[in-house]
Amino acid sequence: MGSVVGIDLGTTNSAVAVLGHDGLPTIIHNREGDNTTPSAVLFDDGEVTVGKQAKNAETSLPNSVVRFVKRHMGNPDYRFMPDRTEREYGPEAISSFILRFLVDDASDFLGEEVVDVVITVPAYFGDAERTATRQAGEIAGLNVLQVINEPTAAALSFGLKGTYSGKVLVYDLGGGTFDATLMDISANNFRVLASAGDRNLGGFDFDNELIRLVSDRYRELGGTVDTEDYRQIALIREQAEAAKHRLSTSEKAKVRIGSESVTIVRDEFDRAIADLVTRTRYILEDVMDQAGLSYGDVDKLLLVGGSTRMKIIERSVREWTGLEPDKSIHPDEAVALGAAIVAELRSAAESGKAPAVRATVEDVVAQGLGVAVVSDDGSKMLNSVVVEPNTHVPNRIKASSFATVGATRQIRLQITEGDENGVELQYVKVLGESLLCLDYDLPARAPLNVVFVVNEDSTVEVELHDSANEMLIGQMAVHRNSNLKQVDVVALRKQSREVVVQ
């Protein structure tokens, strides 16, 4: 096995890192000399361009540039059709182009082809999103050794630097997602205590509030904002993003739209995003409640993700927790650096060699997993949680409270994702279902054991056992409704080889 790298596949920006000969992770510069690469893809005249050049083309070719695709991972209905083409691209295919760009630069930097990778995902990503991320890697021609949670990776990059011991709270606000994770670090053992998040809360949403603020001010000056004019919206978004960055260091920022100039003061921006900031507070408090601890039990607070540069974030988190954020990690690079450490650990485990770093990681599943059961009156299907949120992974969890309704040779098993027990299926996500055919009869009320096997990256497989006869009925490969079939992954990988990514 050659060099392995860790990849932070971000909503707005991505990064790649590798473990150096000194045993420390280091960021790999992209071909433009930058530490991070915009997660933007341009489709133009049959060519695919990734990164800064693609992002810069958004204002001139708004219908040919796609950004923020990470927010659509695991969504089977999302398709992007660039201008002047009849071909559609799903989130897995688009993400594969970003991954190829990153890995090509890593290969040039290391002087050898890179195939083996670890990719990070938000802690609150579910099974469908994690599977989609793995599939993106496969389409890119990569061997994805593991998918790991972003806050866990960030804590690794912090904790290994000085063999730190203590409880660490990670507040991770990226471009498109928010996660909060509480972790106990001791003697290079990283054990997640609790994790929660929102996959649709990030810098993108803060930008949207600033765009609304700027658009309203522009209308007051007599200007017109056409939400169907993608070029105008792209221009306003570009200006708003730049203004948000300026407001991280200045009290006000100017946004130019056409011939007009709009000035935004930090205080009014803070008021516009106050509700979004409060949403992160509720999630932070939920994590502490799940862990059964108070902020006074926390030894270190880490702010991760580029969106934590907003002054209101640092000020608010300090007020809520009474903790001073530790500034020893880079908010944009910590996740990729931690992923490089995990890449080394996984590579060593597979090759049988001693790793260059010593660490163990005990992560958790952020969302509950279960099965659909028939209600007592037989009128509806309800959710029955088998794997509770914050169960450590990898793990094998057995539930023995199930039985057949009537005599049967077929069992339909629906796998669910959601924390609420006893609710109707409309309130949870059905990951997929399988129909298992038996070669013998099961009587009515035959007792069954359902076993969930949750892997290191929180993806799940299921076993079904006949508990009366103490025998395995079968291992259930869940046919995930939200993900590509393997034959589609293979076809997209073949098509991807024909595309030059620049």
Side-chain angles (χ1 to χ4, degrees):
M1 184 178 288
S3 296
V4 294
V5 299
I7 298 175
D8 174 9
L9 183 61
T11 306
T12 53
N13 292 289
S14 297
V16 58
V18 67
L19 202 72
H21 296 299
D22 57 0
L24 297 175
T26 182
I27 291 289
I28 295 176
H29 304 306
N30 64 19
R31 64 197 67 181
E32 295 168 329
D34 298 324
N35 285 10
T36 61
T37 298
S39 301
V41 182
L42 164 66
F43 299 89
D44 189 28
D45 292 331
E47 297 182 346
V48 174
T49 303
V50 173
K52 185 185 294 183
Q53 187 176 342
K55 180 182 177 184
N56 292 342
E58 186 178 21
T59 54
S60 57
L61 298 169
N63 297 321
S64 296
V65 174
V66 58
R67 299 174 63 198
F68 316 112
V69 71
K70 183 174 177 178
R71 292 171 74 105
H72 302 288
M73 295 301 277
N75 178 3
D77 299 321
Y78 176 81
R79 290 291 183 272
F80 178 75
M81 181 182 288
D83 273 355
R84 300 187 302 276
T85 179
E86 295 182 356
R87 183 173 177 182
E88 294 181 330
Y89 297 88
E92 298 90 348
I94 296 168
S95 298
S96 76
F97 293 131
I98 300 171
L99 290 170
R100 279 184 56 188
F101 182 93
L102 296 170
V103 170
D104 284 349
D105 283 355
S107 298
D108 289 343
F109 177 85
L110 297 169
E112 61 177 324
E113 182 183 14
V114 172
V115 175
D116 301 304
V117 301
V118 165
I119 306 175
T120 64
V121 294
Y124 211 66
F125 256 19
D127 181 85
E129 296 87 358
R130 292 168 188 272
T131 299
T133 302
R134 274 190 169 275
Q135 290 178 334
E138 291 179 45
I139 294 168
L142 305 175
N143 177 32
V144 183
L145 299 175
Q146 187 173 335
V147 173
I148 185 171
N149 292 339
E150 290 163 2
T152 303
L156 267 167
S157 70
F158 166 78
L160 278 182
K161 287 191 300 184
T163 59
Y164 179 81
S165 291
K167 290 181 176 61
V168 177
L169 180 61
V170 182
Y171 179 103
D172 184 358
L173 185 62
T177 60
F178 173 70
D179 287 314
T181 295
L182 181 64
M183 179 177 293
D184 184 63
I185 304 175
S186 177
N188 284 357
N189 177 50
F190 296 74
R191 188 171 189 268
V192 175
L193 301 178
S195 190
D198 188 334
R199 58 165 296 186
N200 290 308
L201 175 59
F204 177 80
D205 304 284
F206 290 83
D207 292 342
N208 288 343
E209 292 302 321
L210 185 52
I211 289 170
R212 274 190 278 272
L213 195 60
V214 170
S215 298
D216 290 344
R217 190 66 55 77
Y218 181 56
R219 291 188 184 98
E220 292 171 2
L221 295 173
T224 301
V225 177
D226 182 1
T227 56
E228 299 299 320
D229 184 342
Y230 298 117
R231 181 172 280 104
Q232 184 188 39
I233 296 302
L235 282 166
I236 295 175
R237 180 171 293 280
E238 179 183 58
Q239 291 280 315
E241 289 176 354
K244 185 182 73 172
H245 294 156
R246 286 196 295 274
L247 289 172
S248 295
T249 56
S250 304
E251 290 297 325
K252 59 184 179 179
K254 287 187 177 182
V255 176
R256 180 164 292 279
I257 306 177
S259 60
E260 298 289 349
S261 179
V262 174
T263 299
I264 301 297
V265 179
R266 185 192 291 167
D267 284 347
E268 61 181 333
F269 174 54
D270 288 351
R271 288 193 296 271
I273 63 175
D275 288 345
L276 296 176
V277 177
T278 300
R279 282 168 60 184
T280 72
R281 179 180 187 175
Y282 293 151
I283 294 170
L284 205 62
E285 292 174 350
D286 183 36
V287 166
M288 301 307 299
D289 288 343
Q290 291 179 37
L293 297 173
S294 67
Y295 292 125
D297 297 312
V298 176
D299 299 295
K300 288 289 182 180
L301 169 66
L302 304 181
L303 299 184
V304 179
S307 296
T308 59
R309 287 191 176 88
M310 290 183 289
K311 291 295 184 182
I312 189 175
I313 296 298
E314 181 176 336
R315 182 177 70 249
S316 297
V317 177
R318 185 188 293 112
E319 290 174 356
W320 302 335
T321 64
L323 299 167
E324 191 67 31
D326 187 287
K327 300 291 186 69
S328 64
I329 64 171
H330 195 292
D332 297 324
E333 300 173 9
V335 171
L337 294 171
I341 294 170
V342 177
E344 167 64 18
L345 295 172
R346 284 306 303 266
S347 173
E350 295 203 2
S351 65
K353 297 179 181 178
V357 292
R358 297 286 182 180
T360 58
V361 181
E362 297 180 63
D363 219 324
V364 298
V365 55
Q367 300 181 59
L369 298 166
V371 296
V373 298
V374 180
S375 62
D376 291 339
D377 61 6
S379 65
K380 52 194 171 185
M381 300 296 291
L382 304 176
N383 185 47
S384 179
V385 176
V386 175
V387 182
E388 296 288 345
N390 294 312
T391 298
H392 283 93
V393 294
N395 211 329
R396 181 182 175 91
I397 302 97
K398 182 174 75 171
S400 57
S401 58
F402 303 105
T404 59
V405 176
T408 184
R409 279 198 173 196
Q410 290 184 333
I411 296 177
R412 179 182 178 222
L413 186 60
Q414 290 180 288
I415 307 304
T416 63
E417 189 173 67
D419 301 345
E420 295 297 322
N421 216 4
V423 300
E424 295 183 40
L425 295 191
Q426 61 180 313
Y427 300 110
V428 298
K429 184 175 184 178
V430 177
L431 296 179
E433 61 182 70
S434 291
L435 184 65
L436 187 64
C437 297
L438 297 83
D439 57 7
Y440 63 96
D441 291 319
L442 277 175
R445 306 304 301 171
L448 301 172
N449 287 336
V450 176
V451 178
F452 276 69
V453 181
V454 189
N455 302 313
E456 290 92 342
D457 50 14
S458 294
T459 54
V460 60
E461 300 296 339
V462 181
E463 297 175 0
L464 187 67
H465 295 255
D466 176 353
S467 55
N469 297 308
E470 297 184 349
M471 63 181 293
L472 174 67
I473 294 175
Q475 292 179 312
M476 318 253 322
V478 178
H479 302 300
R480 297 176 174 89
N481 300 326
S482 300
N483 295 114
L484 297 171
K485 293 180 173 59
Q486 189 57 33
V487 64
D488 297 323
V489 173
V490 172
L492 286 170
R493 181 170 179 170
K494 183 178 180 181
Q495 294 174 11
S496 179
R497 293 185 186 132
E498 302 169 358
V499 178
V500 176
V501 178
Q502 57 185 6

